Amino acid sequence: GWMKKDAFYGYKMEQDETDPVFLTYDELQTIMNKEFTIPRLALVRDIFIFSCYTGLSYVDICELTSNDIRLAFDDNLWIIKKRHKTKVTSNIRLLDIPKAILNKYEGKLKNGQLLPVISNQKMNDYLKEIAVLCGIDKNITFHLARHTFATTVTLANGVPIESVSKMLGHTDIRTTQIYAKVIDTKLSNDMELLAQKLNSKCLVTV
């Protein structure tokens, strides 16, 4: 109560934007197709891949129950649940890959849990082992799966950003636009490589 005026009045913190790290399509396929003889790594891979194809965060997968999966008007199964963090409802269609993962563990767990989720710390530790075994030189964490869903699985395949934002449960579409910027950068890089290949082979005459 000594200060008559807030010393931080009018001060606004600025945070540098960082591009989210995500798996490319080839890296995602490598992890999916890898045969793991160690059960704990196979389990973590399954849950990680489930997140890559649904965009659900670690805590949302922990809380996922059969009540969150519903048959919609289009006769497809959808995950419809409120995100733990924002309380915003996410609507995510279950594709064949995450559906197969759910079927793999169906009826094997207690308390209505759909996937055998272990601690987030162990998840991240085991994902580092998986990255090494798969020859992927990236710091893979569980949250990277959510980035991969937003970029490689959806935006890169032409899903509109408004739909991606709805599936991710973002409260502001500007949050989703971070991923779109990454995709635009990748598109530019890919086209530059294509230009280098084609321009060196073709002579254009006017």
Side-chain angles (χ1 to χ4, degrees), residues 126-144:
Y126 298 160
L127 282 170
K128 287 176 173 56
E129 289 186 50
I130 289 173
V132 172
L133 292 172
C134 292
I136 298 174
D137 187 20
K138 286 181 179 176
N139 180 27
I140 298 183
T141 64
F142 195 82
H143 196 65
L144 181 142

PDB file of all heavy atoms in Angstrom, residues 126-144:
ATOM      1  N   TYR A 126      10.379 -41.615 -23.179  1.00  0.00           N
ATOM      2  CA  TYR A 126      10.304 -42.732 -24.126  1.00  0.00           C
ATOM      3  C   TYR A 126      10.229 -42.250 -25.574  1.00  0.00           C
ATOM      4  O   TYR A 126      10.716 -42.933 -26.488  1.00  0.00           O
ATOM      5  CB  TYR A 126       9.104 -43.623 -23.801  1.00  0.00           C
ATOM      6  CG  TYR A 126       9.172 -44.270 -22.430  1.00  0.00           C
ATOM      7  CD1 TYR A 126       8.025 -44.766 -21.810  1.00  0.00           C
ATOM      8  CD2 TYR A 126      10.382 -44.371 -21.748  1.00  0.00           C
ATOM      9  CE1 TYR A 126       8.092 -45.363 -20.553  1.00  0.00           C
ATOM     10  CE2 TYR A 126      10.453 -44.956 -20.499  1.00  0.00           C
ATOM     11  CZ  TYR A 126       9.306 -45.445 -19.892  1.00  0.00           C
ATOM     12  OH  TYR A 126       9.377 -46.026 -18.643  1.00  0.00           O
ATOM     13  N   LEU A 127       9.627 -41.078 -25.787  1.00  0.00           N
ATOM     14  CA  LEU A 127       9.559 -40.524 -27.142  1.00  0.00           C
ATOM     15  C   LEU A 127      10.948 -40.152 -27.650  1.00  0.00           C
ATOM     16  O   LEU A 127      11.227 -40.243 -28.849  1.00  0.00           O
ATOM     17  CB  LEU A 127       8.639 -39.293 -27.175  1.00  0.00           C
ATOM     18  CG  LEU A 127       7.137 -39.598 -27.181  1.00  0.00           C
ATOM     19  CD1 LEU A 127       6.327 -38.332 -26.960  1.00  0.00           C
ATOM     20  CD2 LEU A 127       6.721 -40.280 -28.486  1.00  0.00           C
ATOM     21  N   LYS A 128      11.818 -39.750 -26.757  1.00  0.00           N
ATOM     22  CA  LYS A 128      13.206 -39.471 -27.144  1.00  0.00           C
ATOM     23  C   LYS A 128      13.900 -40.762 -27.598  1.00  0.00           C
ATOM     24  O   LYS A 128      14.682 -40.758 -28.554  1.00  0.00           O
ATOM     25  CB  LYS A 128      13.956 -38.818 -25.990  1.00  0.00           C
ATOM     26  CG  LYS A 128      13.550 -37.360 -25.749  1.00  0.00           C
ATOM     27  CD  LYS A 128      14.243 -36.773 -24.538  1.00  0.00           C
ATOM     28  CE  LYS A 128      13.956 -35.282 -24.404  1.00  0.00           C
ATOM     29  NZ  LYS A 128      12.522 -34.967 -24.352  1.00  0.00           N
ATOM     30  N   GLU A 129      13.600 -41.874 -26.910  1.00  0.00           N
ATOM     31  CA  GLU A 129      14.138 -43.169 -27.335  1.00  0.00           C
ATOM     32  C   GLU A 129      13.601 -43.540 -28.714  1.00  0.00           C
ATOM     33  O   GLU A 129      14.337 -44.038 -29.574  1.00  0.00           O
ATOM     34  CB  GLU A 129      13.755 -44.255 -26.329  1.00  0.00           C
ATOM     35  CG  GLU A 129      14.476 -44.178 -24.991  1.00  0.00           C
ATOM     36  CD  GLU A 129      14.146 -45.378 -24.128  1.00  0.00           C
ATOM     37  OE1 GLU A 129      14.251 -46.515 -24.625  1.00  0.00           O
ATOM     38  OE2 GLU A 129      13.771 -45.184 -22.946  1.00  0.00           O
ATOM     39  N   ILE A 130      12.313 -43.294 -28.910  1.00  0.00           N
ATOM     40  CA  ILE A 130      11.678 -43.614 -30.189  1.00  0.00           C
ATOM     41  C   ILE A 130      12.300 -42.802 -31.316  1.00  0.00           C
ATOM     42  O   ILE A 130      12.559 -43.319 -32.410  1.00  0.00           O
ATOM     43  CB  ILE A 130      10.160 -43.357 -30.097  1.00  0.00           C
ATOM     44  CG1 ILE A 130       9.503 -44.428 -29.203  1.00  0.00           C
ATOM     45  CG2 ILE A 130       9.516 -43.335 -31.484  1.00  0.00           C
ATOM     46  CD1 ILE A 130       8.042 -44.180 -28.906  1.00  0.00           C
ATOM     47  N   ALA A 131      12.575 -41.523 -31.051  1.00  0.00           N
ATOM     48  CA  ALA A 131      13.195 -40.664 -32.063  1.00  0.00           C
ATOM     49  C   ALA A 131      14.562 -41.201 -32.482  1.00  0.00           C
ATOM     50  O   ALA A 131      14.896 -41.233 -33.668  1.00  0.00           O
ATOM     51  CB  ALA A 131      13.321 -39.242 -31.528  1.00  0.00           C
ATOM     52  N   VAL A 132      15.337 -41.643 -31.496  1.00  0.00           N
ATOM     53  CA  VAL A 132      16.666 -42.183 -31.788  1.00  0.00           C
ATOM     54  C   VAL A 132      16.549 -43.455 -32.624  1.00  0.00           C
ATOM     55  O   VAL A 132      17.255 -43.630 -33.635  1.00  0.00           O
ATOM     56  CB  VAL A 132      17.443 -42.470 -30.484  1.00  0.00           C
ATOM     57  CG1 VAL A 132      18.733 -43.218 -30.782  1.00  0.00           C
ATOM     58  CG2 VAL A 132      17.754 -41.171 -29.751  1.00  0.00           C
ATOM     59  N   LEU A 133      15.651 -44.359 -32.222  1.00  0.00           N
ATOM     60  CA  LEU A 133      15.482 -45.627 -32.936  1.00  0.00           C
ATOM     61  C   LEU A 133      14.970 -45.417 -34.358  1.00  0.00           C
ATOM     62  O   LEU A 133      15.237 -46.228 -35.250  1.00  0.00           O
ATOM     63  CB  LEU A 133      14.525 -46.535 -32.162  1.00  0.00           C
ATOM     64  CG  LEU A 133      15.043 -47.070 -30.822  1.00  0.00           C
ATOM     65  CD1 LEU A 133      13.934 -47.799 -30.077  1.00  0.00           C
ATOM     66  CD2 LEU A 133      16.231 -48.013 -31.044  1.00  0.00           C
ATOM     67  N   CYS A 134      14.228 -44.329 -34.552  1.00  0.00           N
ATOM     68  CA  CYS A 134      13.676 -44.048 -35.878  1.00  0.00           C
ATOM     69  C   CYS A 134      14.573 -43.126 -36.702  1.00  0.00           C
ATOM     70  O   CYS A 134      14.247 -42.802 -37.853  1.00  0.00           O
ATOM     71  CB  CYS A 134      12.289 -43.420 -35.745  1.00  0.00           C
ATOM     72  SG  CYS A 134      11.026 -44.548 -35.108  1.00  0.00           S
ATOM     73  N   GLY A 135      15.695 -42.702 -36.107  1.00  0.00           N
ATOM     74  CA  GLY A 135      16.623 -41.841 -36.836  1.00  0.00           C
ATOM     75  C   GLY A 135      16.081 -40.445 -37.091  1.00  0.00           C
ATOM     76  O   GLY A 135      16.420 -39.814 -38.094  1.00  0.00           O
ATOM     77  N   ILE A 136      15.251 -39.947 -36.177  1.00  0.00           N
ATOM     78  CA  ILE A 136      14.666 -38.608 -36.332  1.00  0.00           C
ATOM     79  C   ILE A 136      15.406 -37.631 -35.424  1.00  0.00           C
ATOM     80  O   ILE A 136      15.394 -37.784 -34.197  1.00  0.00           O
ATOM     81  CB  ILE A 136      13.158 -38.622 -35.993  1.00  0.00           C
ATOM     82  CG1 ILE A 136      12.420 -39.548 -36.967  1.00  0.00           C
ATOM     83  CG2 ILE A 136      12.582 -37.211 -36.053  1.00  0.00           C
ATOM     84  CD1 ILE A 136      10.958 -39.748 -36.635  1.00  0.00           C
ATOM     85  N   ASP A 137      16.030 -36.646 -36.016  1.00  0.00           N
ATOM     86  CA  ASP A 137      16.851 -35.697 -35.268  1.00  0.00           C
ATOM     87  C   ASP A 137      16.022 -34.484 -34.843  1.00  0.00           C
ATOM     88  O   ASP A 137      16.235 -33.360 -35.311  1.00  0.00           O
ATOM     89  CB  ASP A 137      18.051 -35.250 -36.114  1.00  0.00           C
ATOM     90  CG  ASP A 137      19.030 -34.393 -35.310  1.00  0.00           C
ATOM     91  OD1 ASP A 137      18.995 -34.462 -34.066  1.00  0.00           O
ATOM     92  OD2 ASP A 137      19.802 -33.634 -35.936  1.00  0.00           O
ATOM     93  N   LYS A 138      15.042 -34.739 -33.998  1.00  0.00           N
ATOM     94  CA  LYS A 138      14.196 -33.674 -33.455  1.00  0.00           C
ATOM     95  C   LYS A 138      13.920 -33.963 -31.986  1.00  0.00           C
ATOM     96  O   LYS A 138      13.903 -35.128 -31.573  1.00  0.00           O
ATOM     97  CB  LYS A 138      12.859 -33.585 -34.215  1.00  0.00           C
ATOM     98  CG  LYS A 138      12.959 -32.984 -35.603  1.00  0.00           C
ATOM     99  CD  LYS A 138      11.599 -32.910 -36.283  1.00  0.00           C
ATOM    100  CE  LYS A 138      11.736 -32.284 -37.668  1.00  0.00           C
ATOM    101  NZ  LYS A 138      10.448 -32.281 -38.402  1.00  0.00           N
ATOM    102  N   ASN A 139      13.703 -32.899 -31.230  1.00  0.00           N
ATOM    103  CA  ASN A 139      13.355 -33.061 -29.831  1.00  0.00           C
ATOM    104  C   ASN A 139      11.856 -33.366 -29.743  1.00  0.00           C
ATOM    105  O   ASN A 139      11.020 -32.468 -29.638  1.00  0.00           O
ATOM    106  CB  ASN A 139      13.697 -31.794 -29.042  1.00  0.00           C
ATOM    107  CG  ASN A 139      13.346 -31.928 -27.567  1.00  0.00           C
ATOM    108  OD1 ASN A 139      13.329 -33.028 -27.018  1.00  0.00           O
ATOM    109  ND2 ASN A 139      13.046 -30.813 -26.928  1.00  0.00           N
ATOM    110  N   ILE A 140      11.531 -34.643 -29.815  1.00  0.00           N
ATOM    111  CA  ILE A 140      10.124 -35.042 -29.837  1.00  0.00           C
ATOM    112  C   ILE A 140       9.551 -35.083 -28.423  1.00  0.00           C
ATOM    113  O   ILE A 140      10.058 -35.791 -27.557  1.00  0.00           O
ATOM    114  CB  ILE A 140       9.953 -36.420 -30.512  1.00  0.00           C
ATOM    115  CG1 ILE A 140      10.411 -36.350 -31.970  1.00  0.00           C
ATOM    116  CG2 ILE A 140       8.497 -36.866 -30.448  1.00  0.00           C
ATOM    117  CD1 ILE A 140      10.215 -37.634 -32.739  1.00  0.00           C
ATOM    118  N   THR A 141       8.513 -34.302 -28.216  1.00  0.00           N
ATOM    119  CA  THR A 141       7.749 -34.342 -26.977  1.00  0.00           C
ATOM    120  C   THR A 141       6.311 -34.696 -27.338  1.00  0.00           C
ATOM    121  O   THR A 141       5.930 -34.667 -28.514  1.00  0.00           O
ATOM    122  CB  THR A 141       7.775 -32.985 -26.251  1.00  0.00           C
ATOM    123  OG1 THR A 141       7.111 -32.008 -27.086  1.00  0.00           O
ATOM    124  CG2 THR A 141       9.204 -32.527 -25.980  1.00  0.00           C
ATOM    125  N   PHE A 142       5.509 -34.999 -26.335  1.00  0.00           N
ATOM    126  CA  PHE A 142       4.134 -35.389 -26.638  1.00  0.00           C
ATOM    127  C   PHE A 142       3.360 -34.238 -27.273  1.00  0.00           C
ATOM    128  O   PHE A 142       2.517 -34.441 -28.140  1.00  0.00           O
ATOM    129  CB  PHE A 142       3.417 -35.869 -25.376  1.00  0.00           C
ATOM    130  CG  PHE A 142       2.143 -36.603 -25.681  1.00  0.00           C
ATOM    131  CD1 PHE A 142       2.173 -37.943 -26.039  1.00  0.00           C
ATOM    132  CD2 PHE A 142       0.930 -35.959 -25.653  1.00  0.00           C
ATOM    133  CE1 PHE A 142       1.004 -38.621 -26.358  1.00  0.00           C
ATOM    134  CE2 PHE A 142      -0.251 -36.624 -25.968  1.00  0.00           C
ATOM    135  CZ  PHE A 142      -0.208 -37.960 -26.320  1.00  0.00           C
ATOM    136  N   HIS A 143       3.652 -33.010 -26.868  1.00  0.00           N
ATOM    137  CA  HIS A 143       2.918 -31.861 -27.405  1.00  0.00           C
ATOM    138  C   HIS A 143       3.200 -31.661 -28.891  1.00  0.00           C
ATOM    139  O   HIS A 143       2.394 -31.043 -29.608  1.00  0.00           O
ATOM    140  CB  HIS A 143       3.283 -30.596 -26.624  1.00  0.00           C
ATOM    141  CG  HIS A 143       2.320 -29.468 -26.852  1.00  0.00           C
ATOM    142  ND1 HIS A 143       0.998 -29.517 -26.461  1.00  0.00           N
ATOM    143  CD2 HIS A 143       2.494 -28.264 -27.457  1.00  0.00           C
ATOM    144  CE1 HIS A 143       0.394 -28.393 -26.804  1.00  0.00           C
ATOM    145  NE2 HIS A 143       1.279 -27.616 -27.412  1.00  0.00           N
ATOM    146  N   LEU A 144       4.330 -32.195 -29.361  1.00  0.00           N
ATOM    147  CA  LEU A 144       4.657 -32.098 -30.779  1.00  0.00           C
ATOM    148  C   LEU A 144       3.607 -32.799 -31.637  1.00  0.00           C
ATOM    149  O   LEU A 144       3.405 -32.448 -32.801  1.00  0.00           O
ATOM    150  CB  LEU A 144       6.046 -32.692 -31.016  1.00  0.00           C
ATOM    151  CG  LEU A 144       6.619 -32.680 -32.432  1.00  0.00           C
ATOM    152  CD1 LEU A 144       8.119 -32.394 -32.399  1.00  0.00           C
ATOM    153  CD2 LEU A 144       6.371 -34.026 -33.116  1.00  0.00           C
TER     154      LEU A 144
END
